[in-house]
Amino acid sequence: MAEKINIADLKIAYFGDKTVKHYIETIADADSTLRLGSIAAVTAGEAAAMALRAIRLTGTEDAALKKAEADCETLRDYFVKIIDEDTKARKPLEKRLAGNASEKEIESGYLTACIMIDELLYSSIQMMEVLDRVADKIAPDAAVYAAAAVRYARTAMDSVRLVHAVYGARIVDPVCSHTVTREPEIAMDGNAEFADTLMKKFESVIK
């Protein structure tokens, strides 16, 4: 039988269109529905915005830079969307935890809650790959924003890792728990050298 939907459960507190002041205050509010996944999405959005600034300061007459600008713009908008999508992805989990659901149902809820933050993780890697395509073209006076974009992207990814660590610790099944915990760690380890090299490349030309 399909799970009965309570209309009240569909109500979501949206954060993507709030002011910076409201957003910062909301992070500090212990009763807020904003969680680390959404906060990581803002960090990733800032990373994409700084990548855009680096590209635009360099100039977009070049075709490769123009394409990188368009790609970073798309990613920035997607990260802003994830701020609220993460809140929605957690809804089934929160409902099951409050309703004393079975262990299997709760496990499924944790996996559903991972969907948007996993999108964030891999899209952050994609953003760094976009910057890497034009790394040799970034102007010295724009390099500081490119280097910061990589750093912010990695911070967003590390926040996703922390969310997975929490979910993994709460999942009873040991195999599922290990998988949930390890997925972002593997992704980050696999891209650590790439990210380090890219950031150092930008830092080496900062003026």
Side-chain angles (χ1 to χ4, degrees):
M1 181 183 292
E3 187 175 11
K4 187 176 180 180
I5 296 175
N6 184 341
I7 299 299
D9 291 334
L10 300 178
K11 293 182 179 179
I12 303 287
Y14 290 99
F15 300 98
D17 59 351
K18 302 298 183 183
T19 65
V20 173
K21 182 177 183 293
H22 177 88
Y23 170 73
I24 295 297
E25 289 174 349
T26 303
I27 292 176
D29 183 357
D31 295 323
S32 169
T33 58
L34 191 73
R35 298 289 187 270
L36 186 54
S38 295
I39 297 168
V42 174
T43 305
E46 291 172 329
M50 284 189 287
L52 273 168
R53 183 161 184 161
I55 292 165
R56 288 169 177 169
L57 278 171
T58 299
T60 56
E61 294 80 10
D62 178 271
L65 285 165
K66 193 70 177 174
K67 176 66 165 60
E69 179 188 30
D71 289 345
C72 284
E73 205 161 35
T74 298
L75 286 166
R76 180 200 58 191
D77 293 346
Y78 185 52
F79 291 139
V80 171
K81 181 180 178 182
I82 290 177
I83 297 170
D84 292 322
E85 290 299 319
D86 176 63
T87 303
K88 288 191 279 187
R90 290 195 323 272
K91 271 290 182 180
L93 170 63
E94 291 167 355
K95 181 181 177 182
R96 291 167 195 179
L97 288 171
N100 297 313
S102 70
E103 180 184 307
K104 200 69 180 174
E105 288 173 323
I106 292 173
E107 179 184 297
S108 174
Y110 278 118
L111 295 177
T112 299
C114 286
I115 290 173
M116 294 315 302
I117 57 173
D118 288 348
E119 287 283 326
L120 169 60
L121 176 75
Y122 293 109
S123 294
S124 295
I125 295 171
Q126 186 178 5
M127 192 220 73
M128 291 190 289
E129 291 171 344
V130 170
L131 269 180
D132 184 54
R133 294 199 318 250
V134 295
D136 292 331
K137 299 176 183 288
I138 296 296
D141 61 346
V144 64
Y145 293 104
V150 176
R151 173 61 68 185
Y152 271 57
R154 295 183 74 180
T155 299
M157 291 167 64
D158 203 36
S159 296
V160 171
R161 178 189 64 79
L162 291 170
V163 177
H164 270 260
V166 171
Y167 291 169
R170 293 176 181 175
I171 292 173
V172 176
D173 179 76
V175 175
C176 185
S177 172
H178 178 76
T179 301
V180 166
T181 301
R182 284 291 293 151
E183 181 178 356
E185 294 175 344
I186 292 169
M188 291 185 69
D189 289 347
N191 286 275
E193 184 177 355
F194 162 66
D196 282 339
T197 301
L198 184 60
M199 191 159 52
K200 287 175 182 176
K201 185 170 189 175
F202 290 131
E203 289 181 357
S204 70
V205 298
I206 288 175
K207 286 187 179 179

